[in-house]
Amino acid sequence: MAGELPFEMPLVEMRKKIAELKQFGEEKGIDFTDEIIRLEERYRVLADEIYSNISASQKMHLARHHGRPTSLDLIGLIFTDFLELHGDRLFGDDLAVVGGIAKLNGLPVTVIGQQRGKDTKDNIQRFFGSAHPEGFRKAMRLMKQAEKFRRPIITFIDTKGAYPGNTAEERGQSEAIARSLYEMSQLAVPVICVVIGEGGSGGALALAVGNRVLMLEHAIYSAISPNGAASILWKDASKAEQAAEAMKITAADLLGMEVIEEIVPEPRGGAHQDYETAAANIKEALWRHLQELSSLDAAELKEDRYRKFRKIGEFAEGAQESLLPEEEVQSVE
């Protein structure tokens, strides 16, 4: 298996030992069956221990794994009859955002996703999944088209953030993101958003105003990337892992804060280990939530979306115990 992360190295070493023992037994004609069985059992126990205790910083690396399925990978596995549509009708076609018409279990839908590259050349063409304004405007065009023809909308979130260069700023990056947030809030059709990798900053939020927001088990989602937060807090982007542990960016954290509605399970070790299983889990969740939303009319869908985002960050005011000792409180009074 290629692309193992540092926390997986004990498993790599044990797999290597098992392979060497099997090869040695075949070459020398010695039966090591019992020893191999014991090692394989130890491997399973170790794998369970490692993958059941993945930290936030380790999830950050899993979310950014170069082999993780992209939006186009998942679109090809989840939907049928996908027809990609291009361009924002204002400036050009941003390859960091893909989208078009497809069918989910025979139901026509519009699907939009942020697209990372598969290799260096592809990443450069797609700006590593970081969209320019025309990418967000293309997404908005497809959403309004979907609304016109009463098609549900599904978005896949996978970006470190919107493109930060001069060219994006010159073409109205902040306006495009703000406009996308507004337009998505007003859509009269069901909208389901899935964070499949890294959901970072305004680039992720711009496509994540949905009736339901789901996350893959090892995805991360935050208002700023851990690298960006580390640069601000400690003036050192290399402290991204430290920032990740403090930022509450995992699916479990966000489910607890009601930012998302569901965690979609991944194959053991991450979605890059088994694209088909990851896609099947997403497809099941999408279809279930679409069935729930199908009974709502346009006004109810907008109200449902409003309530979802309005409740984020709710808190109750009440009397709080003083952190000062009683004698200090009295002296203050």
Side-chain angles (χ1 to χ4, degrees):
M1 181 177 62
E4 290 87 356
L5 297 170
F7 71 90
E8 297 176 299
M9 293 316 294
L11 296 175
V12 176
E13 293 299 323
M14 189 165 289
R15 281 202 305 271
K16 184 178 178 181
K17 289 180 181 179
I18 293 172
E20 289 175 348
L21 188 58
K22 288 180 178 179
Q23 183 179 358
F24 183 76
E26 291 173 359
E27 291 175 352
K28 303 298 182 180
I30 304 173
D31 186 6
F32 289 115
T33 302
D34 292 340
E35 289 81 355
I36 291 171
I37 290 173
R38 281 195 294 270
L39 281 174
E40 288 177 340
E41 179 58 29
R42 285 173 56 192
Y43 177 87
R44 284 190 289 271
V45 171
L46 180 60
D48 289 339
E49 181 180 337
I50 288 175
Y51 290 128
S52 62
N53 295 285
I54 301 177
S55 67
S57 60
Q58 290 168 342
K59 284 181 181 288
M60 177 183 72
H61 292 297
L62 276 172
R64 294 174 173 176
H65 195 285
H66 64 83
R68 197 169 178 84
T70 66
S71 292
L72 285 176
D73 291 325
L74 293 173
I75 288 171
L77 291 168
I78 295 172
F79 304 94
T80 58
D81 302 316
F82 176 61
L83 175 63
E84 185 174 358
L85 302 176
H86 298 273
D88 68 342
R89 301 298 186 267
L90 292 170
F91 181 85
D93 188 33
D94 188 345
L95 298 181
V97 176
V98 297
I101 305 167
K103 289 182 179 178
L104 177 64
N105 291 336
L107 175 70
V109 298
T110 288
V111 57
I112 301 165
Q114 290 158 330
Q115 179 66 23
R116 295 177 290 107
K118 284 291 192 178
D119 52 37
T120 301
K121 181 180 178 182
D122 196 20
N123 264 317
I124 291 172
Q125 290 178 331
R126 298 184 185 277
F127 299 98
F128 293 83
S130 295
H132 281 68
E134 54 268 27
F136 299 117
R137 289 169 181 146
K138 173 168 69 172
M140 281 186 277
R141 180 176 74 82
L142 297 182
M143 290 178 197
K144 297 303 288 184
Q145 181 195 75
E147 183 179 48
K148 178 179 180 179
F149 292 101
R150 305 295 302 161
R151 290 193 298 266
I153 298 167
I154 295 164
T155 69
F156 290 135
I157 314 300
D158 189 15
T159 183
K160 291 184 179 181
Y163 187 74
N166 290 343
T167 53
E169 294 300 325
E170 290 167 355
R171 299 200 284 270
Q173 185 73 289
S174 58
E175 187 278 337
I177 291 173
R179 177 64 60 178
S180 184
L181 294 170
Y182 172 76
E183 293 289 356
M184 289 191 77
S185 72
Q186 298 300 308
L187 290 168
V189 294
V191 183
I192 302 178
C193 311
V194 189
V195 184
I196 61 172
E198 180 173 11
S201 193
L205 296 172
L207 295 186
V209 183
N211 297 91
R212 302 289 183 271
V213 179
L214 319 179
M215 279 182 72
L216 280 177
E217 181 182 358
H218 300 312
I220 60 173
Y221 187 31
S222 58
I224 187 172
S225 71
N227 305 72
S231 296
I232 293 171
L233 295 174
W234 298 292
K235 310 300 181 186
D236 185 357
S238 67
K239 293 186 177 181
E241 292 191 2
Q242 185 177 343
E245 294 294 340
M247 289 171 62
K248 305 296 183 184
I249 61 176
T250 69
D253 292 327
L254 295 165
L255 182 65
M257 294 186 286
E258 298 187 87
V259 174
I260 66 170
E261 278 66 51
E262 183 176 338
I263 300 172
V264 180
E266 297 187 27
R268 190 169 73 168
H272 60 284
Q273 303 283 6
D274 186 345
Y275 283 22
E276 286 76 13
T277 298
N281 292 343
I282 295 172
K283 183 176 182 178
E284 186 278 328
L286 287 174
W287 186 247
R288 178 162 33 84
H289 284 286
L290 274 180
Q291 295 298 104
E292 294 172 3
L293 294 169
S294 63
S295 61
L296 304 181
D297 62 26
E300 289 171 331
L301 285 167
K302 293 179 186 180
E303 179 63 22
D304 174 81
R305 209 174 299 130
Y306 173 82
R307 287 198 305 267
K308 171 196 162 42
F309 285 92
R310 192 70 179 86
K311 72 181 179 181
I312 294 175
E314 281 185 353
F315 63 94
E317 291 190 46
Q320 295 184 353
E321 295 184 8
S322 174
L323 299 179
L324 295 173
E326 185 176 349
E327 58 272 16
E328 292 188 29
V329 173
Q330 291 173 350
S331 65
V332 170
E333 294 174 346

